[in-house]
Short mmCIF file of all heavy atoms in Angstrom, two decimals:
data_model
loop_
_atom_site.label_atom_id
_atom_site.label_comp_id
_atom_site.label_asym_id
_atom_site.label_seq_id
_atom_site.Cartn_x
_atom_site.Cartn_y
_atom_site.Cartn_z
N LEU A 158 13.66 25.09 30.24
CA LEU A 158 12.92 24.06 29.53
C LEU A 158 13.25 24.06 28.04
O LEU A 158 13.46 23.02 27.41
CB LEU A 158 11.41 24.27 29.73
CG LEU A 158 10.50 23.27 29.01
CD1 LEU A 158 10.80 21.86 29.48
CD2 LEU A 158 9.03 23.63 29.26
N VAL A 159 13.31 25.26 27.46
CA VAL A 159 13.64 25.37 26.04
C VAL A 159 15.04 24.83 25.78
O VAL A 159 15.30 24.10 24.81
CB VAL A 159 13.52 26.82 25.56
CG1 VAL A 159 14.10 26.98 24.15
CG2 VAL A 159 12.08 27.28 25.59
N THR A 160 15.95 25.18 26.69
CA THR A 160 17.34 24.71 26.53
C THR A 160 17.41 23.19 26.57
O THR A 160 18.09 22.54 25.76
CB THR A 160 18.24 25.30 27.63
OG1 THR A 160 18.17 26.73 27.57
CG2 THR A 160 19.68 24.84 27.45
N ILE A 161 16.66 22.60 27.52
CA ILE A 161 16.64 21.14 27.64
C ILE A 161 16.08 20.51 26.37
O ILE A 161 16.61 19.51 25.85
CB ILE A 161 15.82 20.72 28.87
CG1 ILE A 161 16.55 21.14 30.16
CG2 ILE A 161 15.57 19.21 28.87
CD1 ILE A 161 15.74 20.93 31.42
N LEU A 162 15.00 21.09 25.85
CA LEU A 162 14.39 20.55 24.63
C LEU A 162 15.36 20.63 23.44
O LEU A 162 15.44 19.71 22.62
CB LEU A 162 13.10 21.30 24.32
CG LEU A 162 11.93 21.06 25.29
CD1 LEU A 162 10.75 21.97 24.95
CD2 LEU A 162 11.50 19.60 25.23
N VAL A 163 16.08 21.75 23.37
CA VAL A 163 17.06 21.90 22.28
C VAL A 163 18.16 20.86 22.40
O VAL A 163 18.55 20.21 21.42
CB VAL A 163 17.67 23.32 22.28
CG1 VAL A 163 18.85 23.39 21.31
CG2 VAL A 163 16.61 24.36 21.91
N VAL A 164 18.66 20.66 23.63
CA VAL A 164 19.71 19.68 23.85
C VAL A 164 19.22 18.28 23.51
O VAL A 164 19.91 17.48 22.86
CB VAL A 164 20.21 19.74 25.30
CG1 VAL A 164 21.16 18.56 25.59
CG2 VAL A 164 20.94 21.06 25.55
N MET A 165 17.97 17.95 23.91
CA MET A 165 17.41 16.64 23.61
C MET A 165 17.26 16.44 22.09
O MET A 165 17.52 15.36 21.56
CB MET A 165 16.05 16.48 24.29
CG MET A 165 16.15 16.34 25.81
SD MET A 165 14.53 16.17 26.59
CE MET A 165 14.01 14.60 25.87
N ALA A 166 16.84 17.50 21.41
CA ALA A 166 16.68 17.40 19.95
C ALA A 166 18.02 17.15 19.28
O ALA A 166 18.14 16.33 18.34
CB ALA A 166 16.05 18.68 19.40
N LEU A 167 19.05 17.83 19.78
CA LEU A 167 20.39 17.63 19.23
C LEU A 167 20.86 16.20 19.48
O LEU A 167 21.46 15.55 18.61
CB LEU A 167 21.37 18.64 19.83
CG LEU A 167 21.22 20.10 19.38
CD1 LEU A 167 22.13 21.00 20.19
CD2 LEU A 167 21.52 20.22 17.90
N CYS A 168 20.58 15.69 20.67
CA CYS A 168 20.99 14.31 20.99
C CYS A 168 20.29 13.31 20.08
O CYS A 168 20.90 12.36 19.58
CB CYS A 168 20.67 14.01 22.45
SG CYS A 168 21.72 14.89 23.65
N VAL A 169 18.98 13.54 19.89
CA VAL A 169 18.22 12.66 19.02
C VAL A 169 18.79 12.70 17.59
O VAL A 169 18.95 11.67 16.91
CB VAL A 169 16.73 13.02 19.01
CG1 VAL A 169 16.00 12.26 17.91
CG2 VAL A 169 16.12 12.70 20.36
N THR A 170 19.13 13.91 17.11
CA THR A 170 19.69 14.06 15.77
C THR A 170 21.00 13.31 15.64
O THR A 170 21.25 12.61 14.64
CB THR A 170 19.91 15.55 15.46
OG1 THR A 170 18.67 16.24 15.55
CG2 THR A 170 20.50 15.73 14.06
N VAL A 171 21.84 13.42 16.67
CA VAL A 171 23.13 12.73 16.65
C VAL A 171 22.92 11.21 16.64
O VAL A 171 23.58 10.47 15.89
CB VAL A 171 24.00 13.16 17.85
CG1 VAL A 171 25.24 12.26 17.96
CG2 VAL A 171 24.41 14.61 17.72
N ILE A 172 21.99 10.75 17.47
CA ILE A 172 21.72 9.30 17.53
C ILE A 172 21.21 8.78 16.20
O ILE A 172 21.63 7.73 15.70
CB ILE A 172 20.72 9.01 18.67
CG1 ILE A 172 21.37 9.28 20.03
CG2 ILE A 172 20.23 7.55 18.58
CD1 ILE A 172 20.40 9.21 21.20
N VAL A 173 20.26 9.53 15.58
CA VAL A 173 19.72 9.12 14.28
C VAL A 173 20.81 9.08 13.22
O VAL A 173 20.90 8.15 12.41
CB VAL A 173 18.57 10.06 13.85
CG1 VAL A 173 18.18 9.80 12.39
CG2 VAL A 173 17.37 9.88 14.75
N ALA A 174 21.67 10.11 13.23
CA ALA A 174 22.76 10.17 12.25
C ALA A 174 23.71 9.00 12.43
O ALA A 174 24.15 8.36 11.46
CB ALA A 174 23.51 11.49 12.38
N MET A 175 24.03 8.69 13.70
CA MET A 175 24.94 7.58 13.96
C MET A 175 24.31 6.25 13.56
O MET A 175 24.98 5.38 12.99
CB MET A 175 25.31 7.56 15.45
CG MET A 175 26.18 8.74 15.89
SD MET A 175 26.53 8.71 17.67
CE MET A 175 27.48 7.19 17.81
N THR A 176 23.01 6.11 13.83
CA THR A 176 22.32 4.87 13.47
C THR A 176 22.28 4.70 11.96
O THR A 176 22.54 3.61 11.41
CB THR A 176 20.90 4.87 14.04
OG1 THR A 176 20.96 5.01 15.46
CG2 THR A 176 20.17 3.57 13.68
N THR A 177 21.95 5.80 11.25
CA THR A 177 21.89 5.75 9.79
C THR A 177 23.24 5.40 9.19
O THR A 177 23.36 4.57 8.28
CB THR A 177 21.41 7.10 9.23
OG1 THR A 177 20.13 7.39 9.78
CG2 THR A 177 21.32 7.05 7.71
N ARG A 178 24.27 6.06 9.75
CA ARG A 178 25.61 5.79 9.25
C ARG A 178 26.01 4.35 9.51
O ARG A 178 26.65 3.69 8.67
CB ARG A 178 26.60 6.75 9.90
CG ARG A 178 27.98 6.71 9.29
CD ARG A 178 28.77 7.91 9.72
NE ARG A 178 30.06 7.94 9.06
CZ ARG A 178 30.92 8.95 9.19
NH1 ARG A 178 30.61 10.00 9.91
NH2 ARG A 178 32.07 8.91 8.56
N SER A 179 25.62 3.81 10.67
CA SER A 179 25.94 2.43 11.00
C SER A 179 25.23 1.46 10.05
O SER A 179 25.82 0.49 9.58
CB SER A 179 25.53 2.13 12.43
OG SER A 179 25.74 0.78 12.76
N GLU A 180 23.94 1.79 9.75
CA GLU A 180 23.21 0.93 8.82
C GLU A 180 23.82 0.97 7.43
O GLU A 180 23.92 -0.06 6.75
CB GLU A 180 21.74 1.38 8.76
CG GLU A 180 20.96 1.10 10.04
CD GLU A 180 19.56 1.66 9.99
OE1 GLU A 180 19.28 2.44 9.04
OE2 GLU A 180 18.75 1.33 10.87
N GLN A 181 24.23 2.17 6.99
CA GLN A 181 24.87 2.29 5.68
C GLN A 181 26.17 1.52 5.63
O GLN A 181 26.49 0.84 4.64
CB GLN A 181 25.12 3.77 5.35
CG GLN A 181 23.84 4.56 5.09
CD GLN A 181 24.10 6.04 4.91
OE1 GLN A 181 25.16 6.54 5.30
NE2 GLN A 181 23.14 6.75 4.33
N ALA A 182 26.94 1.61 6.72
CA ALA A 182 28.21 0.88 6.78
C ALA A 182 27.96 -0.62 6.75
O ALA A 182 28.69 -1.39 6.09
CB ALA A 182 28.98 1.27 8.03
N THR A 183 26.90 -1.05 7.46
CA THR A 183 26.56 -2.48 7.47
C THR A 183 26.18 -2.96 6.08
O THR A 183 26.60 -4.03 5.63
CB THR A 183 25.42 -2.75 8.46
OG1 THR A 183 25.83 -2.35 9.77
CG2 THR A 183 25.06 -4.23 8.48
N ARG A 184 25.34 -2.13 5.39
CA ARG A 184 24.93 -2.50 4.04
C ARG A 184 26.13 -2.54 3.10
O ARG A 184 26.26 -3.43 2.26
CB ARG A 184 23.88 -1.53 3.51
CG ARG A 184 22.50 -1.71 4.15
CD ARG A 184 21.43 -1.02 3.33
NE ARG A 184 21.62 0.43 3.31
CZ ARG A 184 21.07 1.25 4.19
NH1 ARG A 184 20.29 0.78 5.16
NH2 ARG A 184 21.28 2.55 4.11
N ALA A 185 27.03 -1.55 3.23
CA ALA A 185 28.22 -1.52 2.37
C ALA A 185 29.10 -2.73 2.63
O ALA A 185 29.63 -3.35 1.70
CB ALA A 185 29.00 -0.23 2.62
N THR A 186 29.23 -3.09 3.92
CA THR A 186 30.03 -4.26 4.26
C THR A 186 29.40 -5.52 3.67
O THR A 186 30.09 -6.40 3.15
CB THR A 186 30.15 -4.40 5.78
OG1 THR A 186 30.78 -3.24 6.31
CG2 THR A 186 30.97 -5.64 6.15
N GLY A 187 28.06 -5.58 3.73
CA GLY A 187 27.36 -6.72 3.14
C GLY A 187 27.56 -6.80 1.64
O GLY A 187 27.78 -7.89 1.10
N ARG A 188 27.51 -5.65 0.97
CA ARG A 188 27.73 -5.64 -0.48
C ARG A 188 29.15 -6.08 -0.81
O ARG A 188 29.37 -6.83 -1.76
CB ARG A 188 27.46 -4.24 -1.05
CG ARG A 188 25.99 -3.87 -1.11
CD ARG A 188 25.78 -2.65 -1.98
NE ARG A 188 26.47 -1.49 -1.48
CZ ARG A 188 25.94 -0.59 -0.64
NH1 ARG A 188 24.70 -0.77 -0.21
NH2 ARG A 188 26.62 0.45 -0.22
N ASP A 189 30.11 -5.59 -0.04
CA ASP A 189 31.51 -5.98 -0.27
C ASP A 189 31.68 -7.49 -0.06
O ASP A 189 32.40 -8.15 -0.83
CB ASP A 189 32.44 -5.22 0.68
CG ASP A 189 32.53 -3.74 0.33
OD1 ASP A 189 32.13 -3.38 -0.79
OD2 ASP A 189 33.00 -2.96 1.18
N LEU A 190 31.02 -8.04 0.96
CA LEU A 190 31.13 -9.48 1.23
C LEU A 190 30.47 -10.27 0.10
O LEU A 190 31.03 -11.27 -0.37
CB LEU A 190 30.46 -9.81 2.55
CG LEU A 190 30.49 -11.29 2.97
CD1 LEU A 190 31.92 -11.79 3.08
CD2 LEU A 190 29.76 -11.48 4.29
N ASP A 191 29.30 -9.81 -0.38
CA ASP A 191 28.64 -10.48 -1.50
C ASP A 191 29.53 -10.46 -2.73
O ASP A 191 29.66 -11.47 -3.44
CB ASP A 191 27.31 -9.78 -1.83
CG ASP A 191 26.23 -10.05 -0.79
OD1 ASP A 191 26.42 -10.95 0.04
OD2 ASP A 191 25.21 -9.34 -0.81
N ALA A 192 30.16 -9.30 -3.01
CA ALA A 192 31.02 -9.18 -4.19
C ALA A 192 32.23 -10.11 -4.07
O ALA A 192 32.62 -10.76 -5.05
CB ALA A 192 31.48 -7.74 -4.37
N ALA A 193 32.80 -10.20 -2.88
CA ALA A 193 33.97 -11.07 -2.68
C ALA A 193 33.58 -12.53 -2.87
O ALA A 193 34.32 -13.31 -3.48
CB ALA A 193 34.55 -10.85 -1.28
N GLN A 194 32.40 -12.91 -2.37
CA GLN A 194 31.97 -14.30 -2.53
C GLN A 194 31.64 -14.62 -3.99
O GLN A 194 31.91 -15.72 -4.46
CB GLN A 194 30.75 -14.55 -1.63
CG GLN A 194 31.10 -14.55 -0.15
CD GLN A 194 29.87 -14.70 0.74
OE1 GLN A 194 28.77 -14.27 0.39
NE2 GLN A 194 30.05 -15.31 1.89
N ALA A 195 31.05 -13.64 -4.70
CA ALA A 195 30.76 -13.85 -6.12
C ALA A 195 32.06 -14.01 -6.91
O ALA A 195 32.16 -14.85 -7.81
CB ALA A 195 29.93 -12.70 -6.68
N GLN A 196 33.05 -13.20 -6.57
CA GLN A 196 34.36 -13.31 -7.22
C GLN A 196 34.98 -14.68 -6.94
O GLN A 196 35.59 -15.30 -7.82
CB GLN A 196 35.30 -12.21 -6.71
CG GLN A 196 34.94 -10.81 -7.16
CD GLN A 196 35.41 -10.51 -8.57
OE1 GLN A 196 36.03 -11.35 -9.23
NE2 GLN A 196 35.13 -9.31 -9.06
N ALA A 197 34.80 -15.18 -5.71
CA ALA A 197 35.35 -16.49 -5.36
C ALA A 197 34.65 -17.60 -6.15
O ALA A 197 35.30 -18.55 -6.59
CB ALA A 197 35.19 -16.73 -3.86
N LEU A 198 33.34 -17.46 -6.34
CA LEU A 198 32.60 -18.44 -7.16
C LEU A 198 33.13 -18.45 -8.59
O LEU A 198 33.32 -19.51 -9.19
CB LEU A 198 31.11 -18.10 -7.16
CG LEU A 198 30.22 -18.74 -6.09
CD1 LEU A 198 28.79 -18.25 -6.25
CD2 LEU A 198 30.29 -20.25 -6.15
N MET A 199 33.33 -17.26 -9.15
CA MET A 199 33.83 -17.16 -10.51
C MET A 199 35.22 -17.78 -10.63
O MET A 199 35.51 -18.52 -11.57
CB MET A 199 33.86 -15.69 -10.97
CG MET A 199 34.28 -15.52 -12.43
SD MET A 199 34.26 -13.78 -12.97
CE MET A 199 35.72 -13.18 -12.12
#
């Protein structure tokens, strides 16, 4: 039972890390797109 709980905790940690990284990448991509569009306006 302890082993299963540890494995589940590790899985949850990996999922959270991947989700956070994906959100950061999405935000960075959005910022890059905003900057490119602002440059195009200028």
